[in-house]
Amino acid sequence: MRTTSIIAKYLTDLGYQVLTGPDVCAADARMGLPSEEMLESHYQRALSQGAIPEYAAPARGGFTGVIGTLHLGAGPVIALRFDIDALPIKEDESADHLPYKEGFSSQNLGFMHACGHDGHTAVGLTVARILSERKEMFSGTVRLIFQPAEEGVRGARSVAEHGHLNDVDYLIGSHIFPYSTPGEQIGVSVGPTLATTKLNVTFSGLSSHAALPEKGHNAMLAMASAILNLHAIPRHSDGPSQINVGTAHAGSGRNVICDHAELELEVRGCSTEVNHYMEHMPHKFFRLLLPCTPAPARSRPLDPLHLS
Ligand SMILES: [Zn+2]
């Protein structure tokens, strides 16, 4: 929310027509929202850390994101997408980490604009400034979309469902990736990216004492077996695909047969079809072994599987 306020003020000062808050995100299409208590505490924290109140207020309640538009006469509508979200990652505090050394690392322990998102925001604001200084060189409409919640592919939907892409002729998105290049070089390339789906899986078993394993149904063992088999899904012949089980949580005690386990995983594919194949292979795998019922909605739309 602090980031949102800074972007909104910067674009306003450059002369952009600026949208914030519910004018950016369709409220009902937002996904994976934190609790209202957490949203409010983060709003208060943003204010205490220097958010600009008049520009932060529209973001209160989880409406981060800014859209800035320049109308430059007749011509195509070109949208540029920059993501601005923070991630639950602790920033490096070693002496050779430049942001820490120079005093612009994250103020919030355990969170940072990782994954290049600080860079994306900086690139977006710089593009905004350069375009505003060269208006005579362009004809058409430029729409700069500073998108919330790129991580976990949750934020784009609320922007799209608001209608901000309906009249767009060209939509350009980019992402920073670290490649090892000789010296201090920056490379730019154009190419395809991967379609992706995120899945939550819950295993429900039956608890028992470790001395009586035959009385229990061990959810942890089911989970462990599933992790290995998920990574062994035979791949589609159309092209590259990926799968990653990123988190696994299970168990309550050393001498307890585990009755509950949870996985967070993702699949990716070189096309929507290949991604769909990777997404549905785990469904087939689990349904062959176990009856499935829908899990309670924890964080839409992670398409949860609930296994018993
Ligand atoms: Zn990212």
Side-chain angles (χ1 to χ4, degrees):
M1 296 180 204
R2 174 175 171 270
T3 303
T4 289
S5 79
I6 292 167
I7 295 167
K9 179 171 188 327
Y10 192 88
L11 295 178
T12 302
D13 290 348
L14 288 175
Y16 281 75
Q17 180 190 325
V18 172
L19 298 176
T20 52
D23 292 334
V24 172
C25 303
D28 294 344
R30 294 173 301 160
M31 299 185 289
L33 273 184
S35 68
E36 286 186 17
E37 297 74 36
M38 183 180 287
L39 287 169
E40 182 59 20
S41 78
H42 280 233
Y43 177 68
Q44 298 300 336
R45 188 182 75 181
L47 293 177
S48 74
Q49 292 178 338
I52 305 155
E54 64 196 279
Y55 292 99
R60 191 174 193 170
F63 286 95
T64 50
V66 184
I67 293 179
T69 303
L70 269 189
H71 297 286
L72 302 171
V77 178
I78 300 173
L80 305 170
R81 193 291 310 247
F82 310 95
D83 49 35
I84 63 170
D85 46 319
L87 280 59
I89 294 175
K90 181 177 179 294
E91 185 149 16
D92 187 357
E93 293 186 348
S94 54
D96 58 351
H97 180 56
L98 192 75
Y100 184 70
K101 194 167 76 176
E102 299 196 359
F104 63 94
S105 57
S106 176
Q107 301 176 36
N108 299 306
L109 188 68
F111 297 90
M112 65 179 289
H113 289 269
C115 193
H117 296 192
D118 48 357
H120 300 159
T121 309
V123 167
L125 294 177
T126 305
V127 167
R129 178 176 58 75
I130 291 170
L131 289 174
S132 73
E133 291 168 352
R134 293 168 171 74
K135 289 179 190 161
E136 69 288 350
M137 293 178 68
F138 302 95
S139 185
T141 298
V142 177
R143 186 170 300 149
L144 306 181
I145 301 172
F146 291 83
Q147 180 208 305
E150 184 247 16
E151 207 67 21
V153 290
R154 291 168 292 127
R157 183 175 160 208
S158 65
V159 177
E161 292 207 1
H162 202 295
H164 295 299
L165 305 183
N166 293 353
D167 61 343
V168 168
D169 296 297
Y170 301 95
L171 171 61
I172 302 169
S174 67
H175 206 290
I176 292 173
F177 286 98
Y179 286 108
S180 51
T181 51
E184 294 178 350
Q185 294 186 15
I186 296 172
V188 180
S189 70
V190 178
T193 183
L194 299 171
T196 180
T197 303
K198 318 300 182 189
L199 298 149
N200 287 358
V201 184
T202 303
F203 297 81
S204 299
L206 184 65
S207 187
S208 173
H209 194 282
L212 299 167
E214 74 282 3
K215 303 281 189 196
H217 297 164
N218 194 322
M220 190 190 299
L221 290 183
M223 179 185 76
S225 173
I227 292 171
L228 293 176
N229 283 291
L230 283 165
H231 281 264
I233 289 175
R235 297 312 165 87
H236 200 288
S237 60
D238 275 1
S241 58
Q242 296 171 349
I243 185 164
N244 187 58
V245 177
T247 72
H249 296 285
S252 59
R254 185 191 304 274
N255 60 346
V256 180
I257 301 289
C258 168
D259 67 346
H260 184 84
E262 293 185 3
L263 294 181
E264 292 182 324
L265 63 115
E266 62 156 50
V267 294
R268 295 174 190 243
C270 62
S271 65
T272 299
E273 291 71 29
V274 170
N275 181 62
H276 188 262
Y277 167 83
M278 290 300 292
E279 178 186 344
H280 285 271
M281 276 304 274
H283 284 264
K284 278 188 205 167
F285 169 71
F286 289 126
R287 286 200 174 113
L288 276 176
L289 292 173
L290 301 155
C292 299
T293 54
R298 286 198 327 164
S299 55
R300 294 173 55 212
L302 292 181
D303 199 9
L305 306 174
H306 186 255
L307 311 172
S308 54

